[in-house]
Amino acid sequence: MIRRKRANRSIATSTIDVKAPPWLPARRRLIATILCCTGVSWLAGPAGHLLVLLPFLLLGPGYLLERLLRPFPRPTPFLLPPIWVGLSLSVIALLYEWATAFGLALTLPVLVLLAIACALGCIARLWWGNAGRAEARAHIGGWWLALVAVLVFTAWTRVYEVRDLALPNWVDPVHHALLIRVAAERGLAPLDLRPYLPIVELPYHWGYHVFVATLMRLAQAELPAAMLWSGQALNVLQALAAASFAAYLWRRAAAGVVAAIIVGLVSIMPAYYVSWGRYTQLTGLLLVAPIAACWLELLRKPSRRLVATLAILLAGLSLIHFIVLLFTLMFMAMSGALWLLRAEKIELRAGVLAAAAAAVLALGMALPWMLVLAQQKLVST
């Protein structure tokens, strides 16, 4: 009898030991609440579909990939969400690039299946994630609440700016709309613009266009609405990107909040981008901060995970905006040159090998697009 009581007591003790940490049930309740709100929003029609799918496409694929790679074991404040955005935009562009290279159209059923798989992966990862208590607390705090407040206010200003617009303003959106329509109709990268225009193998970056085409098809939304609201969302995220890089450089969350205030609420740019619909450049600029942080971290402490993350971001940026890519490479060259002047011999060898590996991997991922550019250059000369 005594032995049986001791056995029961040991079983109860072991049950207590393996019990979920106290913060896990609260996280699961939050996830369940978000899922309920998502379902209600989805019932609102195309507008609700956009409200659900826009943040999902901007964050979901990148979140899963970042959790797989984990390039930053100890991320600085505000760093991970911009990396999720950059990886999401890059993965969608690379998916279209290689599907087009093999002649495989991304039809609506294929996109739906991919979106469902990604959504289930995100829910499972969030629900059963085994992040420790310290990691959970690292992402919650007063500075995060301050940043969220800045982003909400920034979002309100961006919505207020386009309250009377039925479609994006004149100039660039006219051309962007054509590329988005071609990508949506064919499920391929918009390289061949026939029958709308007699252009084959268009040498123009199209990463933004396939992202909006995917959003438009999944949400069953009209093209003007998909362009207008996704463009304003990209504009709001510029404040988050600035906050992440400022906090990374200064290692202070306060620096990130100040940067977000300046970019989102004080400076006329990038808010003014809506005046001429410079959406491709807005999209490309979102990748600059994640690339810069990965690059500086790679020089400081090289790893295969950073190499893979940096390569994906660079390959994606080459498809999204080539001029922004050139500016980013200039930053990498200048910061790399300063690092070379003070690096130790062992650090020098490891950093150079890691940078070379990232460059080769990025070129390999963007190879079909690079071949198109090279072919057009040879034809033009």
Side-chain angles (χ1 to χ4, degrees):
M1 190 73 180
I2 296 175
R3 290 180 180 177
R4 188 173 299 174
K5 288 182 178 179
R6 288 179 178 175
N8 292 337
R9 187 179 300 173
S10 63
I11 293 173
T13 304
S14 63
T15 304
I16 293 174
D17 291 339
V18 299
K19 187 175 65 175
W23 51 265
L24 190 57
R27 188 178 70 177
R28 290 179 175 176
R29 286 194 295 269
L30 177 61
I31 295 170
T33 302
I34 293 175
L35 291 176
C36 291
C37 294
T38 299
V40 173
S41 299
W42 189 265
L43 297 176
H49 298 172
L50 279 176
L51 185 63
V52 171
L53 287 169
L54 185 53
F56 167 69
L57 289 178
L58 284 170
L59 295 168
Y63 168 76
L64 282 182
L65 190 55
E66 185 275 330
R67 292 288 85 188
L68 176 65
L69 294 174
R70 289 186 177 273
F72 290 87
R74 295 178 178 273
T76 53
F78 319 138
L79 183 62
L80 292 184
I83 291 179
W84 300 340
V85 172
L87 288 174
S88 294
L89 294 169
S90 298
V91 166
I92 293 173
L94 291 170
L95 177 63
Y96 272 88
E97 178 198 28
W98 285 98
T100 303
F102 287 105
L104 303 174
L106 295 173
T107 60
L108 182 58
V110 172
L111 291 178
V112 170
L113 289 176
L114 290 174
I116 292 174
C118 182
L120 292 177
C122 291
I123 295 171
R125 183 64 186 80
L126 290 167
W127 190 268
W128 286 290
N130 56 356
R133 189 181 302 179
E135 183 180 352
R137 288 178 178 175
H139 299 287
I140 302 174
W143 288 114
W144 258 114
L145 295 177
L147 179 62
V148 169
V150 172
L151 294 178
V152 169
F153 193 31
T154 302
W156 177 82
T157 62
R158 300 304 187 263
V159 171
Y160 185 81
E161 289 162 358
V162 299
R163 66 192 183 282
D164 296 327
L165 295 181
L167 67 164
N169 280 331
W170 181 253
V171 190
D172 287 12
V174 177
H175 314 291
H176 296 328
L178 174 59
L179 298 185
I180 293 169
R181 182 173 296 280
V182 171
E185 289 176 350
R186 298 176 183 170
L188 300 169
L191 301 176
D192 186 349
L193 301 186
R194 296 174 300 182
Y196 300 104
L197 290 175
I199 297 176
V200 184
E201 299 294 330
L202 176 70
Y204 182 76
H205 39 251
W206 39 261
Y208 157 78
H209 307 93
V210 296
F211 169 76
V212 180
T214 303
L215 173 66
M216 183 180 70
R217 296 170 73 192
L218 289 175
Q220 296 297 295
E222 296 294 330
L223 177 56
M227 287 183 63
L228 188 63
W229 295 111
S230 65
Q232 294 304 87
L234 296 172
N235 208 313
V236 173
L237 289 174
Q238 302 298 328
L240 177 61
S244 70
F245 194 52
Y248 175 81
L249 289 178
W250 274 275
R251 295 297 197 271
R252 292 180 179 274
V257 174
V258 172
I261 292 173
I262 293 173
V263 173
L265 301 173
V266 177
S267 174
I268 193 174
M269 298 292 181
Y272 195 76
Y273 275 45
V274 71
S275 298
W276 62 85
R278 195 62 59 85
Y279 298 135
T280 53
Q281 189 173 359
L282 274 176
T283 310
L285 289 173
L286 285 177
L287 276 73
V288 174
I291 289 175
C294 288
W295 170 246
L296 295 178
E297 195 71 14
L298 185 72
L299 296 179
R300 190 179 70 87
K301 193 175 181 180
S303 70
R304 295 180 180 178
R305 298 173 183 272
L306 278 169
V307 167
T309 305
L310 180 60
I312 294 171
L313 291 171
L314 285 172
L317 183 54
S318 71
L319 299 167
I320 293 171
H321 203 282
F322 210 77
I323 301 300
V324 174
L325 173 65
L326 294 179
F327 289 146
T328 305
L329 293 177
M330 290 173 62
F331 166 81
M332 294 172 65
M334 294 175 64
S335 57
L338 294 175
W339 170 80
L340 286 173
L341 295 176
R342 62 175 184 269
E344 300 281 342
K345 186 175 181 180
I346 298 178
E347 295 177 347
L348 184 65
R349 184 174 181 273
V352 170
L353 288 176
V360 171
L361 188 57
L363 287 173
M365 292 180 183
L367 183 60
W369 175 234
M370 294 295 114
L371 292 177
V372 170
L373 294 179
Q375 182 180 1
Q376 292 300 312
K377 181 66 176 177
L378 292 174
V379 169
S380 62
T381 54

